[in-house]
Amino acid sequence: MNQTIFTKRKFQAYWLFNLLLGIPTPYAVIYMIFGFYGFMARPTNQERYMAIAAFCVYVLVWFIGNSIVLRKEDRGTRLGMLVLSVLPLTISAYISFKIMAVISS
């Protein structure tokens, strides 16, 4: 009984983490694209480095967060759920982007 409750909480934490991480994804991606390629002019080297650093921090938060949530799983389950974590991340990022588009227009 206790093991079942712990397993359910672990998977709830997994889904919640990925859904919440997806909310700032459109803002982070827009910042990375504009920072790396420039918006109205060519970006400086500092802007490019900041965009690359933002990408690295975002990927690190995603990977470490999922690794912490799935630390007690076996290797196959951990790898499969790490690949699957892109799905809730993408769904919540799409919804967040649509909200952002509606508010800005």
XYZ file of all heavy atoms in Angstrom:
854
model
N 0.823 -1.199 0.000
C 0.000 0.000 0.000
C 0.864 1.258 0.000
O 0.670 2.140 -0.811
C -0.938 -0.054 1.218
C -1.834 1.124 1.341
S -3.048 1.115 0.026
C -3.917 2.571 0.409
N 1.823 1.322 0.933
C 2.705 2.488 0.993
C 3.540 2.631 -0.259
O 3.787 3.740 -0.715
C 3.623 2.403 2.221
C 3.112 3.251 3.358
O 2.196 4.043 3.169
N 3.696 3.077 4.526
N 4.007 1.499 -0.795
C 4.822 1.533 -2.006
C 4.020 2.071 -3.190
O 4.538 2.813 -4.005
C 5.361 0.127 -2.316
C 6.326 0.092 -3.466
C 7.621 0.836 -3.163
O 7.995 1.020 -2.010
N 8.292 1.287 -4.193
N 2.757 1.714 -3.281
C 1.906 2.192 -4.359
C 1.707 3.697 -4.264
O 1.763 4.401 -5.277
C 0.544 1.484 -4.315
O 0.758 0.075 -4.293
C -0.306 1.847 -5.502
N 1.484 4.200 -3.069
C 1.306 5.640 -2.881
C 2.582 6.384 -3.241
O 2.541 7.423 -3.904
C 0.874 5.943 -1.431
C -0.530 5.392 -1.186
C 0.910 7.434 -1.149
C -0.974 5.455 0.251
N 3.743 5.838 -2.844
C 5.022 6.477 -3.163
C 5.259 6.499 -4.667
O 5.715 7.502 -5.214
C 6.166 5.740 -2.460
C 7.514 6.312 -2.770
C 7.893 7.533 -2.268
C 8.390 5.620 -3.587
C 9.122 8.076 -2.564
C 9.628 6.147 -3.885
C 9.995 7.373 -3.372
N 4.929 5.413 -5.356
C 5.104 5.351 -6.807
C 4.199 6.356 -7.499
O 4.624 7.037 -8.439
C 4.799 3.928 -7.310
O 5.639 3.008 -6.619
C 5.042 3.811 -8.790
N 2.957 6.483 -7.032
C 2.041 7.455 -7.633
C 2.545 8.872 -7.420
O 2.482 9.700 -8.323
C 0.640 7.303 -7.041
C -0.095 6.084 -7.529
C -1.479 6.008 -6.917
C -2.199 4.752 -7.361
N -3.520 4.638 -6.754
N 3.047 9.162 -6.239
C 3.564 10.507 -5.966
C 4.790 10.813 -6.819
O 4.977 11.936 -7.268
C 3.905 10.652 -4.490
C 2.711 10.812 -3.628
C 3.093 11.085 -2.209
N 1.912 11.157 -1.373
C 1.937 11.108 -0.078
N 3.087 10.973 0.564
N 0.827 11.186 0.617
N 5.628 9.801 -7.023
C 6.824 9.996 -7.831
C 6.456 10.348 -9.266
O 7.027 11.263 -9.857
C 7.678 8.731 -7.784
C 8.952 8.831 -8.562
C 9.860 7.632 -8.373
C 9.107 6.351 -8.338
N 9.931 5.168 -8.293
N 5.483 9.640 -9.827
C 5.074 9.935 -11.191
C 4.295 11.239 -11.280
O 4.370 11.940 -12.294
C 4.293 8.766 -11.774
C 5.162 7.590 -12.074
C 4.927 6.376 -11.469
C 6.234 7.702 -12.947
C 5.737 5.289 -11.730
C 7.044 6.627 -13.213
C 6.809 5.410 -12.613
N 3.557 11.596 -10.235
C 2.910 12.903 -10.218
C 3.948 14.017 -10.189
O 3.791 15.033 -10.868
C 1.979 13.015 -9.013
C 0.721 12.202 -9.135
C -0.095 12.213 -7.852
O 0.369 12.667 -6.807
N -1.307 11.699 -7.937
N 5.006 13.822 -9.417
C 6.087 14.814 -9.383
C 6.762 14.923 -10.737
O 7.126 16.017 -11.186
C 7.103 14.447 -8.310
N 6.928 13.800 -11.413
C 7.540 13.783 -12.747
C 6.710 14.596 -13.740
O 7.222 15.461 -14.446
C 7.683 12.323 -13.201
C 7.936 12.137 -14.669
C 9.208 12.308 -15.188
C 6.914 11.772 -15.545
C 9.446 12.122 -16.535
C 7.147 11.592 -16.880
C 8.412 11.760 -17.377
O 8.653 11.586 -18.697
N 5.412 14.333 -13.796
C 4.548 15.056 -14.725
C 4.435 16.525 -14.347
O 4.468 17.401 -15.213
C 3.161 14.415 -14.780
C 3.173 13.134 -15.539
C 3.173 11.874 -15.012
C 3.222 12.978 -16.955
N 3.215 10.956 -16.020
C 3.242 11.590 -17.222
C 3.256 13.860 -18.020
C 3.294 11.083 -18.511
C 3.302 13.352 -19.307
C 3.321 11.984 -19.544
N 4.315 16.809 -13.067
C 4.207 18.191 -12.623
C 5.469 18.980 -12.938
O 5.401 20.124 -13.398
C 3.904 18.228 -11.128
C 3.543 19.583 -10.534
C 2.270 20.100 -11.182
C 3.365 19.470 -9.044
N 6.635 18.375 -12.712
C 7.898 19.043 -13.021
C 7.982 19.396 -14.502
O 8.328 20.513 -14.871
C 9.093 18.165 -12.627
C 10.409 18.706 -13.081
C 11.000 19.769 -12.430
C 11.063 18.168 -14.181
C 12.204 20.291 -12.853
C 12.262 18.676 -14.613
C 12.844 19.739 -13.946
N 7.651 18.450 -15.372
C 7.758 18.697 -16.806
C 6.711 19.687 -17.307
O 6.996 20.485 -18.196
C 7.688 17.384 -17.577
C 8.970 16.609 -17.453
O 10.028 17.102 -17.810
N 8.890 15.418 -16.910
N 5.515 19.640 -16.729
C 4.500 20.620 -17.132
C 4.878 22.023 -16.682
O 4.715 22.993 -17.428
C 3.138 20.227 -16.574
C 2.473 19.026 -17.241
C 1.213 18.636 -16.488
C 2.163 19.310 -18.693
N 5.380 22.145 -15.465
C 5.780 23.469 -14.970
C 7.020 23.994 -15.687
O 7.155 25.196 -15.891
C 6.014 23.425 -13.464
C 4.756 23.256 -12.624
C 5.115 23.167 -11.147
C 3.789 24.388 -12.865
N 7.919 23.102 -16.080
C 9.097 23.540 -16.828
C 8.726 24.004 -18.229
O 9.402 24.842 -18.811
C 10.131 22.416 -16.903
C 11.466 22.758 -17.542
C 12.168 23.848 -16.729
C 12.338 21.540 -17.647
N 7.630 23.492 -18.760
C 7.199 23.890 -20.097
C 6.606 25.281 -20.165
O 6.565 25.881 -21.238
N 6.171 25.831 -19.049
C 5.541 27.156 -19.063
C 6.505 28.247 -19.527
O 6.169 29.032 -20.405
C 4.914 27.469 -17.688
C 3.729 26.530 -17.453
C 4.469 28.925 -17.597
C 3.149 26.594 -16.070
N 7.739 28.334 -19.005
C 8.642 29.382 -19.494
C 9.396 29.016 -20.775
O 10.212 29.805 -21.254
C 9.624 29.571 -18.336
C 9.690 28.245 -17.688
C 8.304 27.678 -17.823
N 9.109 27.868 -21.360
C 9.849 27.427 -22.543
C 9.752 28.402 -23.713
O 10.774 28.710 -24.328
C 9.393 26.016 -22.961
O 9.668 25.122 -21.891
C 10.114 25.546 -24.200
N 8.575 28.912 -24.094
C 8.545 29.844 -25.230
C 9.385 31.098 -24.993
O 10.069 31.568 -25.899
C 7.068 30.212 -25.364
C 6.334 29.138 -24.704
C 7.226 28.618 -23.627
N 9.363 31.602 -23.774
C 10.155 32.792 -23.475
C 11.642 32.480 -23.583
O 12.412 33.271 -24.123
C 9.827 33.302 -22.072
C 8.360 33.540 -21.870
C 7.592 32.641 -21.141
C 7.733 34.646 -22.432
C 6.238 32.840 -20.965
C 6.383 34.852 -22.262
C 5.638 33.951 -21.528
O 4.299 34.154 -21.364
N 12.051 31.323 -23.083
C 13.459 30.931 -23.143
C 13.899 30.702 -24.583
O 14.985 31.126 -24.986
C 13.696 29.673 -22.310
N 13.056 30.058 -25.377
C 13.411 29.792 -26.774
C 13.500 31.092 -27.568
O 14.421 31.282 -28.363
C 12.410 28.804 -27.403
C 12.604 28.706 -28.903
C 12.556 27.439 -26.766
N 12.559 31.988 -27.362
C 12.606 33.281 -28.062
C 13.859 34.046 -27.663
O 14.535 34.637 -28.508
C 11.322 34.089 -27.778
C 10.140 33.438 -28.501
C 11.477 35.545 -28.197
C 8.800 33.994 -28.122
N 14.193 34.038 -26.371
C 15.411 34.704 -25.912
C 16.643 34.080 -26.562
O 17.554 34.790 -26.997
C 15.516 34.625 -24.389
C 16.821 35.176 -23.868
C 17.025 36.542 -23.806
C 17.844 34.332 -23.476
C 18.218 37.060 -23.347
C 19.044 34.839 -23.012
C 19.228 36.198 -22.950
O 20.413 36.707 -22.509
N 16.676 32.756 -26.650
C 17.835 32.090 -27.241
C 17.953 32.403 -28.727
O 19.053 32.649 -29.225
C 17.742 30.581 -27.032
C 17.993 30.136 -25.621
S 17.877 28.367 -25.472
C 16.452 28.219 -24.411
N 16.846 32.396 -29.444
C 16.893 32.668 -30.889
C 17.301 34.114 -31.147
O 18.194 34.385 -31.965
C 15.535 32.358 -31.545
C 15.302 30.848 -31.534
C 15.486 32.900 -32.964
C 13.913 30.442 -31.957
N 16.665 35.061 -30.468
C 17.017 36.456 -30.678
C 18.420 36.762 -30.179
O 19.122 37.585 -30.747
C 16.011 37.390 -30.016
C 14.700 37.478 -30.750
C 13.574 37.914 -30.102
C 14.598 37.136 -32.081
C 12.363 38.014 -30.766
C 13.400 37.216 -32.754
C 12.274 37.657 -32.096
N 18.822 36.112 -29.109
C 20.158 36.349 -28.583
C 21.242 35.794 -29.481
O 22.316 36.385 -29.629
N 20.978 34.650 -30.103
C 22.018 34.028 -30.919
C 22.055 34.594 -32.334
O 23.113 34.849 -32.885
C 21.821 32.511 -30.976
C 23.010 31.792 -31.520
C 24.135 31.617 -30.737
C 23.016 31.304 -32.806
C 25.247 30.969 -31.220
C 24.118 30.649 -33.305
C 25.240 30.474 -32.518
N 20.892 34.815 -32.944
C 20.852 35.296 -34.317
C 20.621 36.798 -34.432
O 20.759 37.369 -35.506
C 19.765 34.564 -35.103
C 20.079 33.119 -35.294
C 19.354 32.141 -34.652
C 21.127 32.721 -36.115
C 19.649 30.804 -34.818
C 21.431 31.390 -36.282
C 20.690 30.434 -35.635
O 20.982 29.115 -35.792
N 20.254 37.437 -33.363
C 20.006 38.875 -33.400
C 18.561 39.162 -33.764
O 17.863 38.342 -34.332
N 18.121 40.366 -33.415
C 16.744 40.753 -33.704
C 16.702 41.764 -34.830
O 16.164 41.495 -35.893
C 16.088 41.307 -32.440
C 14.661 41.706 -32.624
C 13.726 40.779 -33.049
C 14.245 42.991 -32.393
C 12.405 41.126 -33.231
C 12.924 43.355 -32.570
C 12.008 42.418 -32.989
N 17.283 42.916 -34.620
C 17.296 43.944 -35.658
C 18.694 44.133 -36.241
O 18.836 44.737 -37.296
C 16.803 45.275 -35.079
C 15.376 45.235 -34.575
S 14.182 44.984 -35.871
C 14.077 46.599 -36.555
N 19.683 43.648 -35.569
C 21.061 43.798 -36.024
C 21.836 42.540 -35.636
O 21.329 41.668 -34.937
C 21.696 45.031 -35.379
N 23.053 42.470 -36.118
C 23.879 41.317 -35.757
C 24.170 41.342 -34.261
O 24.467 42.389 -33.700
C 25.190 41.351 -36.528
C 24.997 41.109 -38.018
C 26.314 40.998 -38.748
N 27.182 39.940 -38.247
C 27.093 38.654 -38.593
N 26.156 38.288 -39.430
N 27.928 37.772 -38.118
N 24.082 40.194 -33.621
C 24.326 40.166 -32.174
C 25.819 40.276 -31.861
O 26.668 39.902 -32.673
C 23.789 38.801 -31.755
C 23.951 37.965 -32.970
C 23.714 38.887 -34.133
N 26.095 40.782 -30.698
C 27.482 40.828 -30.250
C 27.869 39.446 -29.715
O 27.014 38.574 -29.519
C 27.654 41.875 -29.137
O 26.853 41.474 -28.014
C 27.239 43.259 -29.612
N 29.143 39.261 -29.494
C 29.589 37.975 -28.953
C 29.001 37.716 -27.574
O 28.681 36.577 -27.238
C 31.121 37.927 -28.892
C 31.715 37.626 -30.251
O 31.043 37.082 -31.122
N 32.968 37.990 -30.432
N 28.857 38.772 -26.772
C 28.291 38.597 -25.437
C 26.844 38.113 -25.516
O 26.437 37.235 -24.758
C 28.354 39.899 -24.653
C 27.788 39.750 -23.258
C 27.735 41.055 -22.502
O 27.984 42.111 -23.069
N 27.403 40.978 -21.234
N 26.051 38.640 -26.440
C 24.667 38.196 -26.604
C 24.601 36.741 -27.034
O 23.753 35.979 -26.575
C 23.942 39.070 -27.618
C 23.684 40.482 -27.119
C 23.134 41.380 -28.206
O 23.296 41.052 -29.402
O 22.551 42.416 -27.857
N 25.508 36.337 -27.908
C 25.543 34.930 -28.337
C 25.911 34.014 -27.178
O 25.319 32.955 -27.003
C 26.523 34.750 -29.481
C 25.976 35.245 -30.774
C 26.818 34.824 -31.916
N 26.113 35.158 -33.142
C 26.555 34.907 -34.325
N 27.725 34.326 -34.476
N 25.855 35.226 -35.381
N 26.906 34.414 -26.401
C 27.303 33.600 -25.253
C 26.188 33.513 -24.219
O 25.985 32.461 -23.604
C 28.579 34.131 -24.609
C 29.808 33.946 -25.473
C 30.761 34.943 -25.574
C 30.009 32.773 -26.194
C 31.882 34.779 -26.364
C 31.130 32.602 -26.986
C 32.058 33.609 -27.066
O 33.166 33.433 -27.856
N 25.458 34.605 -24.032
C 24.340 34.587 -23.095
C 23.229 33.649 -23.588
O 22.619 32.925 -22.788
C 23.780 35.996 -22.902
C 24.715 36.927 -22.163
S 24.963 36.457 -20.465
C 23.404 36.909 -19.776
N 22.970 33.634 -24.895
C 21.957 32.735 -25.446
C 22.388 31.275 -25.300
O 21.582 30.414 -24.940
C 21.705 33.061 -26.914
N 23.650 30.982 -25.557
C 24.153 29.618 -25.398
C 24.113 29.211 -23.929
O 23.753 28.076 -23.595
C 25.569 29.502 -25.980
C 25.515 29.643 -27.500
C 26.215 28.182 -25.600
C 26.853 29.777 -28.166
N 24.455 30.136 -23.045
C 24.413 29.842 -21.610
C 22.981 29.585 -21.147
O 22.738 28.680 -20.340
C 25.027 30.988 -20.814
N 22.028 30.358 -21.657
C 20.624 30.138 -21.298
C 20.158 28.763 -21.767
O 19.455 28.054 -21.047
C 19.738 31.223 -21.911
N 20.582 28.355 -22.954
C 20.238 27.027 -23.453
C 20.846 25.934 -22.579
O 20.161 24.961 -22.230
C 20.724 26.873 -24.900
C 20.517 25.497 -25.454
C 19.246 25.064 -25.789
C 21.583 24.635 -25.630
C 19.049 23.793 -26.287
C 21.394 23.367 -26.130
C 20.130 22.939 -26.470
N 22.109 26.095 -22.213
C 22.773 25.094 -21.362
C 22.114 24.991 -19.987
O 21.909 23.886 -19.474
C 24.256 25.428 -21.214
S 25.194 25.207 -22.731
N 21.755 26.121 -19.396
C 21.096 26.109 -18.092
C 19.727 25.446 -18.204
O 19.340 24.637 -17.345
C 20.973 27.542 -17.527
C 20.011 27.598 -16.360
C 22.326 28.065 -17.126
N 18.991 25.739 -19.266
C 17.671 25.152 -19.454
C 17.764 23.632 -19.594
O 17.009 22.890 -18.967
C 17.005 25.764 -20.690
C 15.572 25.379 -20.837
C 14.597 26.011 -20.080
C 15.191 24.380 -21.710
C 13.273 25.661 -20.196
C 13.867 24.015 -21.826
C 12.915 24.660 -21.068
O 11.608 24.298 -21.180
N 18.703 23.151 -20.410
C 18.869 21.707 -20.599
C 19.345 21.054 -19.308
O 18.916 19.955 -18.956
C 19.832 21.425 -21.776
C 20.249 19.972 -21.816
C 19.187 21.823 -23.079
N 20.231 21.731 -18.570
C 20.712 21.189 -17.294
C 19.576 21.061 -16.284
O 19.472 20.029 -15.596
C 21.809 22.100 -16.737
C 23.053 21.407 -16.243
C 23.854 20.932 -17.442
C 23.875 22.360 -15.427
N 18.730 22.070 -16.181
C 17.585 22.013 -15.258
C 16.653 20.869 -15.657
O 16.184 20.109 -14.806
C 16.828 23.360 -15.232
C 15.476 23.229 -14.565
C 17.664 24.417 -14.550
N 16.410 20.724 -16.959
C 15.548 19.648 -17.441
C 16.142 18.279 -17.116
O 15.460 17.408 -16.576
C 15.341 19.801 -18.948
C 14.664 18.642 -19.600
C 13.344 18.314 -19.529
C 15.276 17.647 -20.414
N 13.103 17.177 -20.253
C 14.274 16.749 -20.820
C 16.572 17.444 -20.855
C 14.536 15.662 -21.630
C 16.837 16.363 -21.669
C 15.826 15.487 -22.050
N 17.403 18.078 -17.418
C 18.028 16.773 -17.217
C 18.190 16.432 -15.734
O 17.841 15.340 -15.298
C 19.392 16.731 -17.919
C 20.055 15.401 -17.818
C 19.610 14.346 -18.589
C 21.112 15.193 -16.955
C 20.212 13.106 -18.498
C 21.715 13.958 -16.852
C 21.267 12.910 -17.632
N 18.685 17.372 -14.951
C 18.904 17.109 -13.522
C 17.573 16.940 -12.790
O 17.437 16.068 -11.934
C 19.774 18.218 -12.896
C 21.192 18.126 -13.442
C 19.776 18.124 -11.390
C 22.093 19.252 -13.026
N 16.586 17.758 -13.121
C 15.272 17.627 -12.490
C 14.636 16.277 -12.761
O 14.116 15.624 -11.852
N 14.689 15.831 -14.004
C 14.140 14.511 -14.324
C 14.970 13.397 -13.699
O 14.430 12.382 -13.272
C 14.050 14.316 -15.836
C 12.831 14.975 -16.414
O 11.740 14.807 -15.902
N 13.013 15.749 -17.455
N 16.270 13.560 -13.633
C 17.115 12.548 -13.007
C 16.830 12.422 -11.518
O 16.826 11.315 -10.969
C 18.590 12.881 -13.224
O 18.897 12.850 -14.594
N 16.586 13.546 -10.864
C 16.270 13.503 -9.431
C 14.919 12.828 -9.194
O 14.780 12.007 -8.292
C 16.293 14.927 -8.830
C 17.733 15.438 -8.761
C 15.642 14.965 -7.463
C 17.848 16.892 -8.380
N 13.936 13.168 -10.005
C 12.609 12.574 -9.828
C 12.643 11.069 -10.118
O 11.992 10.287 -9.439
C 11.577 13.284 -10.736
C 10.263 12.556 -10.741
C 11.371 14.713 -10.275
N 13.449 10.651 -11.095
C 13.474 9.246 -11.514
C 14.686 8.485 -10.981
O 15.059 7.457 -11.536
C 13.469 9.176 -13.048
C 12.270 9.804 -13.734
C 12.493 9.880 -15.222
C 11.020 9.019 -13.406
N 15.308 8.935 -9.925
C 16.564 8.352 -9.461
C 16.447 6.906 -8.990
O 17.405 6.170 -9.042
C 17.176 9.210 -8.368
C 16.419 9.216 -7.075
C 17.063 10.149 -6.063
N 16.265 10.237 -4.860
C 15.328 11.122 -4.652
N 15.066 12.006 -5.592
N 14.643 11.138 -3.539
N 15.287 6.470 -8.551
C 15.148 5.103 -8.039
C 14.639 4.122 -9.092
O 14.433 2.963 -8.789
C 14.232 5.088 -6.828
C 14.784 5.919 -5.701
C 14.385 5.409 -4.390
C 15.057 6.303 -3.360
N 15.056 5.780 -2.067
N 14.447 4.589 -10.306
C 13.987 3.705 -11.380
C 15.181 2.969 -11.990
O 16.320 3.402 -11.868
C 13.281 4.520 -12.468
C 12.025 5.198 -12.011
C 10.947 4.212 -11.633
O 10.827 3.155 -12.284
O 10.224 4.486 -10.661
N 14.877 1.871 -12.681
C 15.961 1.176 -13.372
C 16.342 1.959 -14.630
O 15.672 2.915 -15.013
C 15.578 -0.268 -13.693
C 14.388 -0.359 -14.639
O 13.754 0.660 -14.880
O 14.122 -1.474 -15.119
N 17.422 1.545 -15.266
C 18.004 2.327 -16.360
C 17.051 2.464 -17.549
O 16.919 3.538 -18.122
C 19.299 1.662 -16.805
C 20.036 2.442 -17.819
C 21.350 1.783 -18.143
N 22.068 2.582 -19.110
C 23.198 2.222 -19.645
N 23.755 1.087 -19.297
N 23.795 2.993 -20.511
N 16.395 1.394 -17.928
C 15.485 1.439 -19.074
C 14.302 2.359 -18.832
O 13.919 3.137 -19.702
N 13.706 2.268 -17.654
C 12.570 3.132 -17.327
C 12.999 4.577 -17.268
O 12.302 5.466 -17.769
C 11.958 2.707 -15.976
O 11.616 1.328 -16.041
C 10.735 3.525 -15.653
N 14.160 4.836 -16.667
C 14.650 6.212 -16.560
C 14.895 6.812 -17.949
O 14.496 7.941 -18.222
C 15.942 6.242 -15.751
C 16.385 7.649 -15.433
C 17.653 7.704 -14.620
N 17.642 6.742 -13.523
C 18.688 6.022 -13.173
N 19.815 6.135 -13.802
N 18.617 5.175 -12.166
N 15.522 6.040 -18.837
C 15.801 6.541 -20.178
C 14.508 6.754 -20.964
O 14.341 7.773 -21.648
C 16.723 5.566 -20.914
C 17.229 6.012 -22.263
C 18.040 7.296 -22.125
C 18.074 4.926 -22.887
N 13.572 5.801 -20.848
C 12.294 5.936 -21.548
C 11.495 7.131 -21.067
O 10.913 7.870 -21.865
N 11.472 7.352 -19.769
C 10.709 8.479 -19.239
C 11.413 9.803 -19.495
O 10.767 10.836 -19.597
C 10.412 8.263 -17.764
C 9.439 7.124 -17.577
S 8.771 7.008 -15.952
C 7.664 8.395 -15.929
N 12.735 9.772 -19.607
C 13.458 10.989 -19.970
C 13.115 11.397 -21.398
O 12.895 12.575 -21.684
C 14.964 10.772 -19.820
C 15.847 11.992 -19.918
C 15.517 12.972 -18.808
C 17.303 11.597 -19.834
N 13.016 10.419 -22.287
C 12.607 10.706 -23.666
C 11.145 11.139 -23.698
O 10.771 12.063 -24.429
C 12.853 9.473 -24.560
C 12.243 9.651 -25.923
C 14.343 9.196 -24.674
N 10.300 10.491 -22.913
C 8.873 10.820 -22.865
C 8.625 12.194 -22.254
O 7.611 12.833 -22.541
C 8.114 9.754 -22.063
C 6.616 9.947 -21.910
C 5.937 9.756 -23.258
C 6.066 8.992 -20.893
N 9.554 12.689 -21.445
C 9.335 13.973 -20.765
C 9.239 15.138 -21.733
O 8.755 16.198 -21.371
C 10.446 14.232 -19.753
O 11.661 14.507 -20.411
N 9.671 14.935 -22.959
C 9.546 16.001 -23.961
C 8.075 16.250 -24.295
O 7.695 17.372 -24.623
C 10.359 15.630 -25.218
C 10.200 16.653 -26.310
C 11.828 15.466 -24.859
N 7.239 15.232 -24.188
C 5.824 15.367 -24.524
C 5.088 16.360 -23.622
O 4.506 17.334 -24.126
C 5.144 13.995 -24.503
C 3.661 13.978 -24.845
C 3.457 14.372 -26.291
C 3.083 12.611 -24.572
N 5.084 16.192 -22.288
C 4.384 17.200 -21.472
C 5.058 18.559 -21.533
O 4.390 19.592 -21.431
C 4.421 16.616 -20.055
C 5.494 15.621 -20.052
C 5.596 15.104 -21.447
N 6.361 18.571 -21.734
C 7.087 19.828 -21.871
C 6.602 20.582 -23.113
O 6.326 21.781 -23.066
C 8.587 19.541 -21.956
C 9.538 20.689 -21.907
C 9.575 21.239 -20.493
C 10.919 20.224 -22.302
N 6.458 19.868 -24.212
C 6.005 20.479 -25.460
C 4.555 20.927 -25.371
O 4.198 22.008 -25.855
C 6.172 19.475 -26.617
O 7.524 19.027 -26.645
C 5.831 20.099 -27.943
N 3.729 20.126 -24.760
C 2.302 20.483 -24.635
C 2.136 21.754 -23.808
O 1.427 22.682 -24.207
C 1.503 19.318 -24.023
C 1.427 18.162 -25.020
C 0.105 19.757 -23.617
C 0.883 16.886 -24.432
N 2.793 21.806 -22.664
C 2.644 23.008 -21.839
C 3.332 24.217 -22.477
O 2.870 25.343 -22.311
C 3.171 22.760 -20.427
O 4.535 22.437 -20.456
N 4.409 23.993 -23.230
C 5.050 25.102 -23.934
C 4.138 25.653 -25.033
O 4.054 26.863 -25.242
C 6.374 24.656 -24.532
N 3.440 24.765 -25.735
C 2.518 25.201 -26.782
C 1.367 26.010 -26.192
O 1.001 27.067 -26.716
C 1.979 23.982 -27.541
C 0.987 24.326 -28.607
C 1.403 24.875 -29.806
C -0.381 24.127 -28.418
C 0.494 25.213 -30.790
C -1.296 24.452 -29.389
C -0.847 24.995 -30.575
O -1.758 25.333 -31.541
N 0.815 25.537 -25.103
C -0.289 26.264 -24.448
C 0.212 27.624 -23.946
O -0.459 28.638 -24.109
C -0.881 25.423 -23.308
C -1.596 24.208 -23.888
C -1.838 26.245 -22.457
C -2.007 23.177 -22.867
N 1.400 27.645 -23.374
C 1.973 28.898 -22.893
C 2.228 29.866 -24.050
O 1.995 31.066 -23.934
C 3.271 28.614 -22.146
O 3.884 29.797 -21.741
N 2.694 29.332 -25.185
C 2.923 30.180 -26.355
C 1.619 30.754 -26.880
O 1.557 31.926 -27.264
C 3.633 29.387 -27.451
C 3.877 30.177 -28.689
C 4.873 31.139 -28.717
C 3.104 29.979 -29.810
C 5.099 31.886 -29.864
C 3.318 30.718 -30.954
C 4.319 31.674 -30.986
N 0.565 29.940 -26.907
C -0.733 30.438 -27.366
C -1.271 31.526 -26.439
O -1.834 32.517 -26.902
C -1.746 29.282 -27.474
C -1.513 28.409 -28.663
C -1.699 29.224 -29.914
C -1.650 28.374 -31.144
N -1.826 29.140 -32.364
N -1.090 31.346 -25.155
C -1.512 32.378 -24.193
C -0.721 33.654 -24.425
O -1.268 34.763 -24.418
C -1.374 31.857 -22.756
C -2.410 30.774 -22.488
C -1.527 33.009 -21.749
C -2.214 30.050 -21.185
N 0.591 33.505 -24.645
C 1.445 34.655 -24.899
C 1.027 35.382 -26.181
O 1.007 36.602 -26.239
C 2.903 34.207 -24.986
C 3.900 35.307 -25.188
S 5.601 34.723 -25.146
C 5.672 33.719 -26.606
N 0.658 34.619 -27.226
C 0.245 35.215 -28.486
C -1.084 35.955 -28.343
O -1.275 37.022 -28.924
C 0.140 34.144 -29.560
N -2.005 35.397 -27.573
C -3.301 36.050 -27.372
C -3.131 37.338 -26.576
O -3.761 38.370 -26.899
C -4.277 35.081 -26.665
C -5.498 35.811 -26.158
C -4.678 33.978 -27.603
N -2.298 37.314 -25.574
C -2.100 38.510 -24.749
C -1.391 39.608 -25.526
O -1.722 40.777 -25.393
C -1.307 38.137 -23.476
C -2.192 37.299 -22.560
C -0.817 39.373 -22.751
C -1.482 36.737 -21.344
N -0.430 39.237 -26.378
C 0.335 40.251 -27.088
C -0.391 40.837 -28.280
O -0.012 41.874 -28.806
C 1.680 39.674 -27.538
O 1.466 38.688 -28.526
N -1.451 40.173 -28.757
C -2.145 40.723 -29.936
C -3.363 41.521 -29.585
O -3.755 41.780 -28.543
C -2.552 39.596 -30.862
O -3.457 38.728 -30.236
